[in-house]
Amino acid sequence: MVLDSIGVGLIGSTTEVFELALQYCKHTYAANDVGRVYGRTGTTLSPSLAAFVNGVATHSMDFDDTWNPATHPSGAVLPALLATCDLLPAYCRPRPRGLDLLTAFNVGVEIQGRLMRFSNDAYSIPKRFHPPSVVGTMGSAAACARLLSLDSSQCSHALAIAASLAGAPMCNAATQFKPFHIGNASRLGMEAALLASRGLEASLVVLDTVPGVDGFNVFYEDYVPRPMTSADDEEYVFLLEGQDVAFKRFPAHLGMHWVAEAATTIHVMLKGTESVRPFCPLQVHDILLRIPQSKYINRPFPNSEHEARHSFQLTACSALLDGEVTVWSFSPAALQRPELLALLRHVRVEHPDDNPANFDRMYGEVQVTLAGGDILKGRCDTFYGHWRNPLSTESLRKKFCDNAGAILPPEKVEGLLEAVEELERLEDCTVLLSQLQ
């Protein structure tokens, strides 16, 4: 998770939305130059702003990890922890060991998962709040509180402060601002922990259910917290011991990966094993997608790269045309191809009752009717990269090397690989931090 998050953050530092965030921070705030910025040699910001822009980078392509219940667990936590590592020497403390960083990361992920498991609604593709803006802020606060060695009372106040800084509406999905949800979660969670470390207090019942008083349940109406076993108990099981994570093979909303894999199957059928002719849209009479009912990712004619990353139609047609979906698939040049636009005009959708908007139960089905009447079908129940069909170590390393290699020289890519693989044995996280630019 750490390796993948750093990789997508590095390639995310090439995007327009990242540049907007970085220029805003550089020209609006006075710098306290200790927080390193992904991929930018010599560029530093105040620690909380470094957490912010690196969080934006991590989600700027929607390339970061996902799990069930639906959220992006790493993007809000890791940038905040790396920024806190840069900050700690200013607090007259040495930089944390790698094991300290890993422990805090696990705490940040654990808090997100536990809070979401107190709500049945959290298991569905969200309609109201973007989950990383809610539980990501809480996870960032918890992780930073752990790395700062706050006591139990300060940790409680950090979470209470974070709850008042959390939340973003889903209407900003598929816009330039969506990556800011992750950036804000990372930054605001870190600031909640820092404020608590200074003695700021907030409600200690914010995570409880108090009749007539809204707390964390404003985000999930069916939220019902349950007592947890103490983490000191030998029988305690952390969620990551049994909860796998989905790692994306291309930069788009997770739901897109089902239709992409189904459409790629049809591309192979259309191409044929002996044919060298490129696939022609004139061959296609009709394209039917059987997908879950989810309005914000049902976009027939996306108008931007951000909408395209949230379009079943665009993703399926890209896979039909090219046999794959890549970073380039969402570039302006790719999105304006006449043959791609021609395919989009043939697409219609159905929402079968047995295909819920749930990342653990949904499927993607693509049916192409050719001009001659032939019907080709492709279906994906579990794409490669899903927690039921995880990426191999080799595939995960290749994804990281492709992403990091777009920004860093080969020796730094190798240095990051080595630092992450040896993280639990590092005596000083500077070894990791020094490879990020």
Side-chain angles (χ1 to χ4, degrees), residues 154-308:
Q154 291 172 318
C155 289
S156 295
H157 288 300
L159 289 174
I161 295 166
S164 281
L165 300 174
M170 283 303 300
C171 65
N172 265 327
T175 71
Q176 277 191 318
F177 195 76
K178 188 189 177 200
F180 280 59
H181 295 176
I182 301 286
N184 279 331
S186 188
R187 170 192 179 183
L188 295 173
M190 178 183 180
E191 291 180 352
L194 291 172
L195 287 167
S197 77
R198 298 287 186 179
L200 185 66
E201 298 182 349
S203 170
L204 294 181
V205 297
V206 70
L207 298 182
D208 301 331
T209 51
V210 180
V213 179
D214 284 330
F216 192 78
N217 60 314
V218 298
F219 301 114
Y220 297 102
E221 292 179 338
D222 65 345
Y223 169 82
V224 180
R226 295 183 297 277
M228 289 174 57
T229 305
S230 169
D232 295 328
D233 192 313
E234 292 183 1
E235 296 181 359
Y236 187 88
V237 178
F238 280 88
L239 293 178
L240 281 180
E241 296 183 50
Q243 168 71 64
D244 290 319
V245 176
F247 295 106
K248 299 178 179 179
R249 287 183 296 140
F250 58 87
H253 183 279
L254 192 72
M256 306 303 105
H257 290 64
W258 277 272
V259 294
E261 197 156 300
T264 299
T265 302
I266 297 178
H267 173 88
V268 174
M269 298 178 192
L270 287 166
K271 185 177 180 181
T273 55
E274 298 179 1
S275 173
V276 295
R277 293 180 302 165
F279 166 55
C280 176
L282 294 177
Q283 296 174 251
V284 175
H285 173 70
D286 179 71
I287 301 171
L288 173 63
L289 308 183
R290 295 189 175 94
I291 53 176
Q293 176 73 269
S294 187
K295 190 171 184 179
Y296 83 97
I297 47 179
N298 180 2
R299 298 176 181 271
F301 298 99
N303 293 312
S304 69
E305 65 167 297
H306 297 282
E307 289 190 3

Side-chain angles (χ1 to χ4, degrees), residues 1 67 69 71-74 76-77 102-119 122 131-132 134-147 152 155-156 158-160 162-163 166 185 189 206-207 216 220 223 225-226 228-229 231 236-240 243:
M1 293 171 73
W67 74 345
T71 195
H72 303 283
S74 298
V77 173
L102 278 174
T103 303
F105 180 81
N106 202 344
V107 167
V109 174
E110 181 79 1
I111 288 295
Q112 295 177 74
R114 293 294 177 184
L115 288 173
M116 298 190 81
R117 280 162 175 76
F118 293 152
S119 162
V134 178
V135 295
T137 310
M138 307 296 285
S140 171
C144 292
R146 177 66 180 79
L147 199 60
S152 60
C155 289
S156 295
L159 289 174
V206 70
L207 298 182
F216 192 78
Y220 297 102
Y223 169 82
R226 295 183 297 277
M228 289 174 57
T229 305
Y236 187 88
V237 178
F238 280 88
L239 293 178
L240 281 180
Q243 168 71 64

Side-chain angles (χ1 to χ4, degrees), residues 332-350:
L335 296 178
Q336 293 304 313
R337 291 179 291 172
E339 58 271 34
L340 179 64
L341 299 176
L343 282 179
L344 283 171
R345 287 191 284 270
H346 291 294
V347 179
R348 57 192 178 92
V349 299
E350 290 181 354

Side-chain angles (χ1 to χ4, degrees), residues 279-431:
F279 166 55
C280 176
L282 294 177
Q283 296 174 251
V284 175
H285 173 70
D286 179 71
I287 301 171
L288 173 63
L289 308 183
R290 295 189 175 94
I291 53 176
Q293 176 73 269
S294 187
K295 190 171 184 179
Y296 83 97
I297 47 179
N298 180 2
R299 298 176 181 271
F301 298 99
N303 293 312
S304 69
E305 65 167 297
H306 297 282
E307 289 190 3
R309 297 181 200 279
H310 294 72
S311 169
F312 279 120
Q313 294 88 340
L314 185 286
T315 309
C317 289
S318 293
L320 282 172
L321 194 61
D322 303 323
E324 61 180 353
V325 180
T326 66
V327 170
W328 179 80
S329 302
F330 301 98
S331 66
L335 296 178
Q336 293 304 313
R337 291 179 291 172
E339 58 271 34
L340 179 64
L341 299 176
L343 282 179
L344 283 171
R345 287 191 284 270
H346 291 294
V347 179
R348 57 192 178 92
V349 299
E350 290 181 354
H351 306 296
D353 291 338
D354 67 344
N355 197 0
N358 179 298
F359 290 144
D360 208 34
R361 297 161 51 202
M362 65 176 282
Y363 62 85
E365 195 168 277
V366 180
Q367 176 179 298
V368 174
T369 303
L370 301 180
D374 290 340
I375 297 176
L376 306 176
K377 293 183 180 181
R379 174 172 169 134
C380 175
D381 294 292
T382 305
F383 65 85
Y384 182 46
H386 190 276
W387 45 83
R388 288 194 302 269
N389 186 20
L391 294 184
S392 66
T393 300
E394 182 181 359
S395 293
L396 195 59
R397 285 170 63 97
K398 182 180 185 305
K399 176 187 173 182
F400 170 78
C401 290
D402 289 344
N403 288 338
I407 303 299
L408 301 178
E411 62 271 18
K412 288 218 167 183
V413 175
E414 286 300 318
L416 271 174
L417 268 171
E418 183 178 348
V420 173
E421 290 178 352
E422 296 294 318
L423 193 52
E424 67 188 79
R425 288 175 285 278
L426 290 184
E427 289 300 317
D428 183 346
C429 282
T430 303
V431 176

